[in-house]
Amino acid sequence: MQTLVVDHPLVAHKLTALRDARTDSPTFRRLADELVTLLAYEATRDVRVTDVTVDTPLAPAQGIRLARPVPLVVPILRAGLGMLDGMTRLLPTAEVGFLGMIRDESTLKAQTYATRLPEDLSGRQCYVLDPMLATGGTLAAAIEFLFGRGARDVTAICLLAAPEGIAYLDEAFRSGERPIRVVTAALDERLNENGYIVPGLGDAGDRLYGVV
Ligand SMILES: O=P(O)(O)OC[C@H]1O[C@H](OP(=O)(O)OP(=O)(O)O)[C@H](O)[C@@H]1O
Ligand SMILES: O=c1cc[nH]c(=O)[nH]1
Ligand SMILES: [Mg+2]
């Protein structure tokens, strides 16, 4: 599994403000949105394209277009929803699916409460959005859904990742015939005893949606 930690001063600047406990929800939402657009630029370097020719006002020009089938973008509710606009700003023609998942805080296991995905994903590049890669349980379950429907490859875009979550995904998809990749703004130190990323940013869903 490839893990890309995007190293850019604008990413680091916005992430620092996002982490700050003093940052209010409206600002948190804006920063998350801006960060995702920066991460998505790196995460879509290998988006599939096809050759086309267009006519400029002066002459024909060789060009490229996104290949079909278009990529599928899947925000994992709740916190992933705060990343959707930042992603579709770069991929406005992508199809959007949804997964409603919640981590049982006593077992740290992910439960799925809503799935709105195309039945057949054969050949599709998929981008899964979830700000936090903590134990890896949520993303692993989400990625399994997509490969179960025939996805070609899956890229997870996260704001923060813990070493434990990276290791878990790496092990879960070790075989390699189901290619996955993680693109994140930072690799943090560890998980605490409650499965939260340290230093992290707290509970991403609560901070995005003003839950105090
Ligand atoms: O890597 P994991 O250990 O699975 O933890 C990461 C998940 O935990 C949080 O979701 P939560 O279950 O709190 O739901 P929410 O997104 O609605 O806040 C976060 O949004 C991730 O989805
Ligand atoms: O640090 C964490 C870990 C899981 N979920 C969150 O929202 N934050
Ligand atoms: Mg979540």
Side-chain angles (χ1 to χ4, degrees):
M1 174 181 90
Q2 184 203 355
T3 300
L4 172 64
V5 180
V6 176
D7 180 11
H8 190 298
L10 290 183
V11 169
H13 169 84
K14 293 179 189 298
L15 183 60
T16 303
L18 204 68
R19 291 181 190 276
D20 191 331
R22 295 168 300 177
T23 298
D24 64 14
S25 282
T27 308
F28 191 97
R29 277 196 292 269
R30 176 178 58 78
L31 289 165
D33 180 77
E34 292 167 356
L35 265 173
V36 173
T37 300
L38 294 169
L39 297 179
Y41 178 75
E42 290 298 339
T44 53
R45 280 190 183 283
D46 64 348
V47 72
R48 282 190 299 141
V49 293
T50 183
D51 294 330
V52 291
T53 301
V54 296
D55 295 321
T56 79
L58 301 169
Q62 299 300 318
I64 57 172
R65 280 218 176 94
L66 282 190
R68 301 191 70 80
V70 294
L72 178 75
V73 171
V74 183
I76 298 177
L77 305 178
R78 296 174 302 171
L81 195 53
M83 301 171 72
L84 182 57
D85 288 349
M87 184 72 185
T88 51
R89 188 168 297 127
L90 288 191
L91 283 179
T93 58
E95 182 175 357
V96 180
F98 293 88
L99 279 173
M101 302 179 79
I102 186 161
R103 180 177 84 165
D104 177 323
E105 291 307 323
S106 56
T107 64
L108 296 185
K109 295 293 172 224
Q111 292 153 17
T112 303
Y113 56 82
T115 59
R116 290 296 300 268
L117 298 171
E119 270 314 306
D120 177 13
L121 291 176
S122 41
R124 302 288 283 268
Q125 285 181 291
C126 299
Y127 297 89
V128 184
L129 309 178
D130 197 341
M132 310 304 274
L133 171 49
T135 66
T138 300
L139 269 174
I143 293 167
E144 286 290 355
F145 271 117
L146 301 177
F147 281 122
R149 284 168 165 77
R152 169 194 174 119
D153 58 54
V154 179
T155 299
I157 300 181
C158 308
L159 298 180
L160 291 179
E164 296 87 337
I166 296 285
Y168 184 81
L169 283 185
D170 187 50
E171 182 53 35
F173 296 91
R174 170 165 297 287
S175 67
E177 73 246 11
R178 300 189 300 169
I180 69 165
R181 186 175 46 149
V182 172
V183 177
T184 183
L187 183 56
D188 270 15
E189 286 165 30
R190 59 184 172 84
L191 294 181
N192 69 8
E193 63 285 356
N194 302 316
Y196 274 71
I197 299 174
V198 176
L201 51 72
D203 187 288
D206 291 351
R207 294 202 62 190
L208 270 168
Y209 299 116
V211 176
V212 291

